[in-house]
Amino acid sequence: MKDYLRKLHGMKLFSLKDVATHTGNESTTKSLLASGVRNGTLCHIKPNLYAVTDMATGLCAANKYEIASNISDTACVAYHSAMEYHGLGHQLFNEMSVISTSTFRTFEFEGVTYIRHQPKIMEGVMVPVMNTKIKVTDLERTVIDCIDRIKYAGGLEELLNNFTSVAYIDETKLKTYLDAYGKSSLYQKAGFLLSMYKKQWRLSTGFFHHCKAHIGQSTRYLTDVADNSAYNSEWRLCVPENMSNLMEQ
C-alpha cells in the first residue's frame, strides 16, 4: 500500500486507469482509491479523477489550474481563468473556464466551479515549462478568445483592465488565431478594442489593415445589444456609449 501511495504522490492527479497501470488489477485499484479517500490521503475530485491530499492543510494538493487541465485528455484552462493564470486577472473568480472536446458536467470542488466550453479552434494551447500538469491557452489565444466571448472574460470592464496590464503581445500569433476563427465579427471587435492598445502593445498598422480586410459589410455589436448605443463607423460596430469612461477607469 505504501509503495502505491508513494507512486500516487508522484503523479499528484490520476484516474482509475492511471492507477490500474501500477496495480495491474481494477479491483485492487478501486479498493486502493476508496481506502485512500476514507483515510484522507486521497481526495475524490469528480467521477474518475482523484488527487493526493496535502497533509499539512488537509486540502487537495493539486491547484485549480492542474485540476482543470486534467478533467479530460483535451481539457485546457481558457477565457478569464487563463487571464488569471497569465497574471492578468483584475478580479479573482471562483469559477474555472475549461475548454474540452470531451464533455463533462459542471461540478464544484473545494469552492471552485469547473465549467466546460466547447473549443472553437485547436491552436494556441501551451504546457508551461514550470508545471507540465497544466494546459492553458497562450496569452495571444486568450486575448482573442476573450474578445470573442466577452462575457466569459468577466465582462467588458474586466477585459479592458486586464488588457491594460499586458506588457508584450505577439502580433503574428494574434493574426493566426483571428484567421483560425475566420469570423467577420471577431475581426471587427478585435480591430476596435486592440486599436486602443496599439501603442502599448506596439501593434503595426498592417495588423489593423488585416482586420479591416475581413470585417465584411455588416454592422455588429460589441457586447449585449442593450448596452450598445454608440456607433463606430471605422469598424462598423455598435459599442457602449460609456466606452470612454470605461477606458479612463
Side-chain angles (χ1 to χ4, degrees):
M1 180 70 76
K2 289 183 179 180
D3 288 339
Y4 288 141
L5 288 175
R6 191 176 298 111
K7 290 177 181 178
L8 295 183
H9 272 269
M11 297 164 65
K12 189 186 281 190
L13 281 151
F14 36 84
S15 65
L16 189 150
K17 183 179 178 181
D18 294 330
V19 181
T21 61
H22 295 285
T23 65
N25 183 286
E26 185 173 325
S27 177
T28 300
T29 298
K30 290 180 177 179
S31 176
L32 175 65
L33 292 173
S35 176
V37 172
R38 280 196 305 271
N39 63 33
T41 57
L42 302 179
C43 49
H44 187 195
I45 298 171
K46 65 179 291 291
N48 202 32
L49 183 61
Y50 298 80
V52 294
T53 300
D54 183 337
M55 301 311 294
T57 65
L59 300 175
C60 180
N63 63 46
K64 62 183 182 179
Y65 302 106
E66 294 171 330
I67 292 172
S69 302
N70 287 272
I71 292 173
S72 73
D73 291 340
T74 60
C76 171
V77 178
Y79 296 108
H80 188 274
S81 303
M83 279 287 186
E84 287 183 26
Y85 179 81
H86 291 298
L88 302 172
H90 189 69
Q91 302 179 50
L92 294 179
F93 295 166
N94 60 354
E95 293 181 352
M96 286 294 292
S97 289
V98 185
I99 54 174
S100 171
T101 57
S102 303
T103 60
F104 67 84
R105 291 183 178 179
T106 296
F107 68 94
E108 183 178 337
F109 179 72
E110 292 187 347
V112 178
T113 302
Y114 296 81
I115 303 171
R116 174 188 175 266
H117 303 278
Q118 179 69 28
K120 304 299 182 182
I121 62 174
M122 302 308 294
E123 296 88 341
V125 175
M126 61 175 285
V127 177
V129 175
M130 69 288 283
N131 191 337
T132 57
K133 294 188 183 299
I134 293 175
K135 299 190 294 293
V136 60
T137 52
D138 66 23
L139 176 58
E140 291 78 10
R141 163 83 188 269
T142 303
V143 165
I144 298 303
D145 282 351
C146 286
I147 292 174
D148 183 49
R149 307 298 293 275
I150 292 176
K151 65 179 181 179
Y152 297 149
L156 183 57
E157 185 174 354
E158 174 72 1
L159 183 64
L160 296 176
N161 280 325
N162 292 346
F163 283 1
T164 302
S165 301
V166 175
Y168 170 77
I169 204 82
D170 187 324
E171 178 182 305
T172 301
K173 286 185 178 180
L174 290 176
K175 289 168 65 175
T176 296
Y177 303 142
L178 279 170
D179 293 346
Y181 270 103
K183 294 167 58 176
S184 297
S185 60
L186 184 52
Y187 284 109
Q188 286 173 281
K189 292 194 288 185
F192 171 74
L193 287 174
L194 299 188
S195 64
M196 301 176 188
Y197 302 92
K198 180 177 180 179
K199 184 176 180 180
Q200 176 183 330
W201 293 4
R202 299 180 180 87
L203 297 174
S204 70
T205 301
F207 173 79
F208 295 99
H209 285 331
H210 183 77
C211 290
K212 285 181 180 178
H214 295 84
I215 65 173
Q217 300 298 317
S218 299
T219 295
R220 295 184 173 88
Y221 297 89
L222 180 63
T223 58
D224 293 335
V225 176
D227 297 331
N228 293 272
S229 54
Y231 179 66
N232 182 278
S233 58
E234 181 180 8
W235 295 101
R236 300 193 182 101
L237 201 63
C238 292
V239 304
E241 192 171 15
N242 65 340
M243 196 73 198
S244 296
N245 293 335
L246 290 175
M247 286 300 297
E248 289 175 5
Q249 292 172 18

